[in-house]
């Protein structure tokens, strides 16, 4: 219900603006209150039906002596639990989520232009950036997970040995089986870089002693540091460079081909990528991590 | 009690209307008359503490469902629903590791509508995480975080964290295997932080493993600490929407 007749502008300069604004305005009661009411009613009905049909789970009484396999966090943290499988726990459990939240909060301080404000995806290349960002984030992450689960090794052995199994009927290894080449064993998964290459001992245990991390100054127990370069590379350097490097590469590529030209373009590209990564990590963590957190289809709550 | 100011020839409807809305009781509660004229409609919003979260007028495009999909409003609605069902659940639940699990079982079997109550609370909690995430996406894709709304976006991120924490602390309370181990996995992640992780985990769990101390901490945070903080941040969030000139519009 427009109320233009209510507006009584005073000066000429203000009049034009005010009249335009007033004519495009509606009264909150009834127009908005009504919609809110309907939305609340519809939602209540949906939730009531859902609650009648589907019961909340309740498993056996908590027992610290029996660890279910797999043990999983609530679904909205399964993305982090999935990350945990691929990098140092401090990175996945604390540092990455903290930085992600800070970066999320900082979005408006990076993108201060008013392009595309107040309308759905209204800048010229918005949709293209959304789609490219989502696809790259989703499938890029999926490929990385597949790599760490040695899917490429399985694929190679399947293609190279048509109709053959790795084992003879007696259960022994088949000598004519074309396995993944030994010389490339370090490419089987991320962890194989540490386990399949012969690192010199001088690099895998560098004792730094208790005088580097002075936790004793904080009144905490002193931590003797020993650096394993192979571990640091696998658990920290590669994951960090992947998580920082790939998004930067994506932005550079999008900029080169003219897909992302403005700050808003880059924001949409990166945010969409982030959401897609979040989604695929959550999906994998929820539905495709079974016993021992192996990459297999998994039905939630199937464990007792 | 009709006012008697009407000219003769009143219909029955008019009399009923006068009886319902032009009496002392109605007027003592609602300062304005029944909201059927623009003036009364604006007064209805402006003089009501709850509706006053809104402005009295709103831009045409913002009433379109597809602009917001009501997601922020639904998040708030779920928060209110969770508060109501949560208070009812508190009647039946004692946060002790001896009783908690049995209380939930009894709630499901002995209490009339107890299972329904628990289901509602659970689904609303999951739903709120989803609506808040989707609300964030809608705000992002409509470019509504841009100046002058930067700070309200930050308030929003805090609300997102609070929503997750509320859900996470509630997860432990049924004290079943799912609860215990999900919280064990989750709190171990905190413990993995360099240097300060383990002390932090110890404070959060109140010991080396998830037990009675953790249950009472999570319970207290879940039923009073976090809801209070969330309510304060929501108040700031809504206040800022008004102060920043309503929802974002193209310039
Ligand atoms: C408990 C969580 C939250 C509640 C209850 C809530 C509630 C609301 C409501 C009711 C609105 C009005 C418009 C609408 O319905 O979309 C709104 C707008 C807004 N919200 Fe939230 N919100 C929450 C979380 C968030 C989050 C996580 C963010 C972003 C990170 C955010 C950022 C904003 C911004 C910037 C606006 C202004 C939008 C505009 O001008 O168009 N909020 N919020």
């Amino acid at each position: 219900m427009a109320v233009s007749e209510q507006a009584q502008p005073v000066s000429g300069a203000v009049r034009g603006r005010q009249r335009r604004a007033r004519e495009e305005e509606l009264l909150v009661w009834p127009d908005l209150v009504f919609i809110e009411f309907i939305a609340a009613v519809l939602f209540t009905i949906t939730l009531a039906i859902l609650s009648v049909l589907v019961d909340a789970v309740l498993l056996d009484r908590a027992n610290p002596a029996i660890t279910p396999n797999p043990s999983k966090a609530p679904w909205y943290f399964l993305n982090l639990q999935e990350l945990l499988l691929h990098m140092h726990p401090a990175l996945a459990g604390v540092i990455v989520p903290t930085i992600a939240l800070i970066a999320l909060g900082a979005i408006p301080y990076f993108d201060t232009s008013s392009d595309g404000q107040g309308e759905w995806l209204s800048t010229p290349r918005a949709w293209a950036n959304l789609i490219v960002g989502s696809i790259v984030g989703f499938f890029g992450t999926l490929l990385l997970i597949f790599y760490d689960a040695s899917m490429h090794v399985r694929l190679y052995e399947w293609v190279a040995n048509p109709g053959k199994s790795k084992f003879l009927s007696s259960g022994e290894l088949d000598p004519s089986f074309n396995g993944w080449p030994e010389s490339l064993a370090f490419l089987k998964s991320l962890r194989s870089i540490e386990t399949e290459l012969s690192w010199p001992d001088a690099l895998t245990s560098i004792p730094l002693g208790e005088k580097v991390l002075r936790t004793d100054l904080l009144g905490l127990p002193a931590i003797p540091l020993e650096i394993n370069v192979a571990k640091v590379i696998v658990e920290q350097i590669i994951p960090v460079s992947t998580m920082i490097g790939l998004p930067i590469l994506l932005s550079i590529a999008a900029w080169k081909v003219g897909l992302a030209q403005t700050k808003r373009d880059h924001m949409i590209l990166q945010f969409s990528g982030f959401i897609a990564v979040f989604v695929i990590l959550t999906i994998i963590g929820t539905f495709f991590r079974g016993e021992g957190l192996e990459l297999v289809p998994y039905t939630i709550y199937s464990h007792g | 009690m009709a006012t008697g100011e009407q000219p003769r020839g009143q219909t029955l409807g008019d009399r009923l209307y006068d009886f319902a809305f032009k009496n002392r009781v109605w007027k003592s509660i609602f300062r304005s008359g029944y909201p059927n004229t623009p003036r009364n409609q604006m007064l209805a919003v402006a003089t009501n503490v709850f509706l006053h979260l809104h402005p009295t007028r709103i831009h045409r495009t913002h009433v379109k469902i597809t602009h917001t999909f009501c997601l922020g409003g639904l998040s708030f609605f779920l928060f209110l629903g969770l508060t109501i069902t949560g208070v009812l659940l508190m009647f039946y639940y004692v946060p002790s590791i001896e009783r908690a699990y049995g209380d939930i079982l009894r709630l499901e079997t002995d209490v009339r509508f107890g299972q329904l109550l628990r289901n509602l609370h659970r689904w609303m909690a999951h739903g709120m995480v989803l609506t808040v995430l989707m609300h964030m996406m809608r705000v992002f894709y409509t470019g509504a975080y841009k100046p002058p709304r930067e700070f309200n976006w930050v308030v929003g991120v805090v609300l997102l964290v609070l929503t997750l924490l509320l859900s996470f602390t509630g997860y432990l309370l049924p004290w079943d295997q799912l609860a215990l181990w999900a919280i064990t996995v989750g709190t171990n992640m905190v413990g993995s932080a360099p240097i300060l992780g383990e002390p932090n985990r110890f404070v959060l769990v109140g010991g080396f493993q998830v037990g009675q101390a953790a249950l009472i901490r999570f319970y207290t945070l879940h039923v009073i600490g976090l809801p209070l903080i969330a309510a304060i941040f929501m108040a700031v969030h809504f206040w800022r929407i008004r102060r920043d000139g309503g929802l974002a519009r193209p310039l």
Side-chain angles (χ1 to χ4, degrees), chain B residues 28-61:
Chain B
S28 72
I29 306 174
F30 303 104
R31 293 290 178 217
S32 55
Y34 186 74
N36 55 357
T37 64
R39 179 176 174 277
N40 278 350
Q41 285 170 339
M42 280 190 279
L43 282 174
V45 173
T47 61
N48 180 301
V49 62
F50 304 109
L51 291 174
H52 192 215
L53 288 173
H54 299 103
T56 54
R57 295 191 183 85
I58 180 173
H59 194 262
R60 187 178 286 288
T61 50

Side-chain angles (χ1 to χ4, degrees), chain A residues 274-285:
Chain A
F274 173 76
I275 296 288
V277 171
F278 182 92
V279 168
I280 181 67
L281 287 177
T282 313
I283 292 178
I284 296 278

Side-chain angles (χ1 to χ4, degrees), chain A residues 223-238:
Chain A
I223 302 177
L225 261 195
E226 191 175 274
I227 303 263
N228 176 344
V229 173
K231 249 198 170 62
V232 171
I233 291 181
V234 164
E235 292 184 348
Q236 302 183 36
I237 296 180
I238 295 182

